[in-house]
Amino acid sequence: MSILLLVIIVGVLATLITESMPSIKSLGIGYLWGKVWDPIQNIYGAYPFLIGTLLTSFIALIISVPFSYAIAIYLGEYNPKGWLSDTLKNAVELIAAVPSIIYGFWGIFVLVPLVRTLEMKIGVLPLGVGVFSASLVLAVMIIPYGASLGITLIRMVPSPLKEGAYALGATRFEVIRNVIMPYTRTGLFAGVLLSLGRALGETMAVTMLIGNSSAIASTFKEVLFGPGNTMASVIANEFAEADHTLYLSALIELGLALFLVTVVINLIGKRIITRFTNN
Amino acid sequence: MENTIVKAENYNSYFGDNHVVKDVNISIHKNEVIAVMGPSGCGKTTFLRGINRMHELIPGATSKGKILLDGENVYDMNAIYVRAKIGMVFQRPNPFPNLSIYENVVAGYLLNGIKLSKADKDAIVEKSLTSAALWKEVKDSLHKKGTFLSGGQQQRLCIARAIAMQPELILFDEPTSALDPISTSSVEALFHELKANYTLIIVTHNMQQAARVSDRTAFFYMGELVEFDDTKQMFTAPRDQRTQNYITGRFS
Amino acid sequence: MEPKLGIRNVKSMIFKGVIIFFAFLITVPLIIVLLYIIKQGITQVNWSFLTHVPAPTGEKGGGIANALLGSFIMVMMASVVAVPVGILAGIYLSENPGTKLAYYSGLCVDILQGVPSIVVGIVVYFWVVKPLGGFSAIAGSIALAIMMLPIIIRSTEQTLKLLPDSLKEAALSLGVPYHRVIIKVIIPCGFAGILSGITLSIARIIGETAPLLFTALGNNFLTMKITGPMDSLPHVIFSYATSPYDDWHDLAWGASFILLMFVLTLNIVTKLLTRKWKIQL
């Protein structure tokens, strides 16, 4: 049975590589930097999607980190037991449990109009859908991953260490900043990495909210609020329509890139955590 | 010699390259209570686990030499059969948490898939629990989970579980080290009663316990069997300097 | 000394306030999403909604019976494959730590856990859809099974690793053969953990859309043919939510409500099961 796992992973990799071969051969490495994606003209460049993926993921990450750290510190240190913390913990688990499609659907009908109003106020094209909306929803979706790992890590801080600091007259804040944070720093960083891995591969909610435009925005406001596309969303949107080999295989090459990036990020994250928990 | 139940001949145990039991020769009679004592890491537990072939379950663990059970080398027999024939009680009480007290006693049959009639099972349960001095305490709650009992009761339940398999020999690996003094004395009292029907080998690091319960005592030091003699003799006039040092507390 | 202590205490209090603020702020979007879905969805749900297939464009009424049945069939088929494989692999990993095979399969579980669901969709498209010559429920189930595997494997492995060695030794010392120890002692004792892994993995995949897009596709008719395209709850939400018609949106709200209820129920069931079956060690 364990061998089956190896077969699956090797099979996934092999399938992705063979099927993206036509694109790798004819487009070469320049594919990654090509700025134009125009299937009708048979021109393929992945740059807009790489940027879109990185942009949405990092914005989401920046928004989510204060929340997941706060939850981790609150449930790990301030209030680890009792009904209030149980409720909060269940709420966080629930956030992770709600399917991505529901976030996307809700986003279209509730978040998008709100963002549209905001966009009218600050003077950008009021589309509503775009990088900003997608990142907001993505941020909510990835908070639980960083948070639940953070709770476990903070609870693992040996209490003699904390008591030592308290005995020297440190305040709670100082204990958190000078004892807990340094002790858990690498582990919390791994949590951020794992959230990033989630964000990069998230498909449905982003596909529904990002606006699906393969053009590259020029101004800052447009970059942030304008429509875009991520690697995952372009695959979801265009895979079924891809009617010739190069088009299809260019999309699969995106999948291959996505696979490799998430694998690397996940393995680094897991490695850090394993080392942390073994110490 | 007819009286001998277990005999070790040039028995050695290893963890990888680590030689933990060195060339042990010992011969144990029927219906004896043997205490095996020595400082931590002297190989006493490893030796005990060699007798019923539990030692080899640890990755990297090997052994050499013979352990004769009723004249037959256990290393030539099927390991499963050896373990079923020799009872064992562990350091911490380990009743099966998913089974009731009743089921725990007959666990050896249940888990091996041996079918018994209800009447047979009832008889075995009552007899074993009575022998383990637990019957009176639990006869009204036989179908509760074994983990609800106190530590001492749990340990006696584990002894009943071993007795139920009708072994000739029962191995005890520091059976009271996880128990409070009252539970300890209840288990120690039991040793005296079990002696009539079984042979007991008890590993302990508690010298008073060895002196209280055993007929003969084996002293292990650095993997060697240093001395094996009548308990009284050993505690009053040990022959070996190292035994002397241990008993008088020079090292522990 | 004195005034400085005051400042330090104030700082500590402010920090605590900020932490509590951020920690609880997260419940706001959750509550908004849940309430909104419930409010929009609950009015849609009635008996005919659950028992009818979607109405053709322009007609009133219609339901999601096809999607309900499709989700049920595909989740079942995925479980039939993933549960035994996952449990066996989990047992292997927990019983043989340190071997080369265990190391590499552990690595594979980590990788599998991180694979974006859309990539699973692509791969299964080439493994199943293309060779079989069309979209099918089988393909959808295989994609879902691949998503389930790592969750079941990890929860089985972790549950079994938590069981003390003494338990295994107790059984072995009674002369019980190894495979029987696993079946009769280890699995029953870890039952709660294994079961919760299964229900959690179902809760997770029942809402998965991306791997179904290129595998099971969708189907507006009630079907039990597993070699043909089949609809599912998340897919019905996706296609109706992105459509321009208001009454289709209503259908999607109803479907979202049902899906949400399934996910919530599965999560609660997981919690209850764990509590009920939890064995006192």
Side-chain angles (χ1 to χ4, degrees), chain B:
Chain B
M1 279 318 273
E2 216 163 87
N3 209 8
T4 304
I5 175 162
V6 181
K7 193 167 181 218
E9 288 179 356
N10 303 330
Y11 182 75
N12 292 276
S13 301
Y14 309 82
F15 285 116
D17 297 331
N18 220 349
H19 199 172
V20 260
V21 175
K22 298 171 188 163
D23 242 357
V24 169
N25 287 287
I26 194 170
S27 155
I28 292 163
H29 306 312
K30 267 188 186 137
N31 298 54
E32 249 188 332
V33 178
I34 302 294
V36 180
M37 65 170 192
S40 314
C42 67
K44 56 190 191 297
T45 294
T46 311
F47 170 67
L48 190 79
R49 292 168 63 94
I51 298 177
N52 68 340
R53 298 187 59 178
M54 290 292 283
H55 173 64
E56 67 203 62
L57 291 170
I58 298 162
T62 49
S63 57
K64 224 168 59 187
K66 284 183 187 170
I67 301 271
L68 302 176
L69 177 68
D70 291 324
E72 211 182 327
N73 188 0
V74 296
Y75 286 88
D76 296 333
M77 304 197 290
N78 184 320
I80 304 281
Y81 175 75
V82 173
R83 290 181 205 133
K85 241 186 120 165
I86 302 178
M88 186 165 195
V89 177
F90 296 83
Q91 224 174 68
R92 296 189 155 277
N94 52 2
F96 296 111
N98 55 325
L99 303 182
S100 67
I101 294 173
Y102 184 97
E103 291 166 323
N104 257 292
V105 177
V106 284
Y109 299 96
L110 283 182
L111 298 179
N112 276 318
I114 300 167
K115 293 266 184 299
L116 290 176
S117 72
K118 177 91 171 64
D120 283 349
K121 273 196 282 190
D122 287 347
I124 291 174
V125 169
E126 180 167 354
K127 188 165 165 269
S128 309
L129 284 173
T130 311
S131 309
L134 193 61
W135 176 249
K136 276 188 202 143
E137 292 158 60
V138 301
K139 65 171 185 243
D140 297 322
S141 48
L142 285 175
H143 295 285
K144 277 195 191 155
K145 293 270 180 272
T147 38
F148 287 111
L149 298 173
S150 74
Q153 289 174 321
Q154 285 190 17
Q155 195 62 303
R156 277 178 282 148
L157 177 59
C158 293
I159 295 173
R161 181 176 69 192
I163 295 172
M165 297 298 283
Q166 294 162 330
E168 294 169 78
L169 172 69
I170 309 177
L171 310 175
F172 294 83
D173 182 9
E174 302 191 19
T176 59
S177 64
L179 303 181
D180 60 88
I182 293 174
S183 308
T184 299
S185 57
S186 71
V187 172
E188 279 184 11
L190 186 56
F191 291 152
H192 286 290
E193 290 168 33
L194 292 175
K195 206 178 125 175
N197 297 313
Y198 309 96
T199 308
L200 312 181
I201 304 180
I202 303 164
V203 162
T204 175
H205 59 219
N206 179 336
M207 276 182 278
Q208 286 75 29
Q209 184 169 60
R212 276 196 301 266
V213 302
S214 67
D215 302 318
R216 290 201 289 167
T217 298
F219 174 64
F220 274 72
Y221 184 63
M222 308 271 279
E224 281 174 54
L225 175 61
V226 173
E227 197 168 341
F228 181 45
D229 212 334
D230 269 0
T231 300
K232 225 178 227 158
Q233 168 80 28
M234 190 179 279
F235 279 94
T236 48
R239 277 170 243 227
D240 195 289
Q241 185 58 40
R242 289 169 291 180
T243 320
Q244 171 83 33
N245 288 348
Y246 183 68
I247 299 175
T248 52
R250 297 280 163 74
F251 52 75
S252 63

Side-chain angles (χ1 to χ4, degrees), chain A residues 55-255:
Chain A
L55 209 57
T56 44
S57 301
F58 276 99
I59 295 174
L61 209 56
I62 290 166
I63 301 173
S64 79
V65 162
F67 288 98
S68 43
Y69 272 44
I71 295 167
I73 292 172
Y74 182 75
L75 291 179
E77 172 64 20
Y78 280 112
N79 192 2
K81 274 196 199 115
W83 67 269
L84 192 61
S85 66
D86 281 349
T87 315
L88 183 59
K89 203 155 180 243
N90 286 333
V92 173
E93 280 171 19
L94 214 54
I95 292 174
V98 173
S100 147
I101 184 93
I102 288 187
Y103 282 115
F105 188 23
W106 176 84
I108 290 181
F109 286 88
V110 181
L111 189 65
V112 165
L114 288 178
V115 172
R116 204 174 283 150
T117 332
L118 176 73
E119 284 173 338
M120 281 201 269
K121 282 212 178 103
I122 58 169
V124 279
L125 201 61
L127 289 171
V129 290
V131 171
F132 183 68
S133 305
S135 307
L136 270 187
V137 169
L138 202 49
V140 173
M141 293 175 65
I142 62 175
I143 284 171
Y145 294 95
S148 65
L149 185 66
I151 297 168
T152 327
L153 293 173
I154 286 178
R155 286 190 186 165
M156 276 169 56
V157 178
S159 57
L161 222 55
K162 287 188 276 182
E163 280 164 7
Y166 281 125
L168 291 172
T171 62
R172 196 102 189 232
F173 167 60
E174 286 158 351
V175 170
I176 291 172
R177 197 184 61 182
N178 300 324
V179 178
I180 296 181
M181 279 301 140
Y183 190 86
T184 51
R185 185 167 294 142
T186 49
L188 291 176
F189 173 71
V192 173
L193 270 185
L194 292 182
S195 311
L196 178 64
R198 276 283 147 198
L200 291 174
E202 178 44 51
T203 314
M204 293 322 292
V206 173
T207 306
M208 293 166 89
L209 293 172
I210 200 164
N212 304 313
S213 152
S214 306
I216 299 172
S218 45
T219 69
F220 174 73
K221 271 185 185 172
E222 269 182 55
V223 168
L224 190 57
F225 288 99
N229 232 339
T230 67
M231 295 153 91
S233 74
V234 76
I235 299 171
N237 273 317
E238 301 186 12
F239 188 82
E241 300 161 10
D243 44 7
H244 47 277
T245 322
L246 193 57
Y247 189 6
L248 191 66
S249 110
L251 284 172
I252 297 161
E253 196 179 339
L254 280 180

Side-chain angles (χ1 to χ4, degrees), chain C residues 169-243:
Chain C
E169 290 198 327
L172 286 168
S173 80
L174 290 170
V176 181
Y178 191 73
H179 69 275
R180 272 182 172 280
V181 175
I182 300 282
I183 296 169
K184 297 264 181 168
V185 178
I186 300 295
I187 291 183
C189 288
F191 195 65
I194 296 173
L195 202 63
S196 71
I198 295 171
T199 46
L200 267 189
S201 68
I202 292 178
R204 165 97 199 278
I205 58 151
I206 199 172
E208 276 293 349
T209 322
L212 296 179
L213 284 178
F214 328 130
T215 51
L217 199 67
N219 190 337
N220 275 344
F221 302 98
L222 205 57
T223 174
M224 288 187 57
K225 200 172 134 227
I226 55 170
T227 50
M230 193 179 269
D231 220 335
S232 59
L233 275 175
H235 188 266
V236 101
I237 300 172
F238 179 62
S239 47
Y240 288 175
T242 48
S243 77

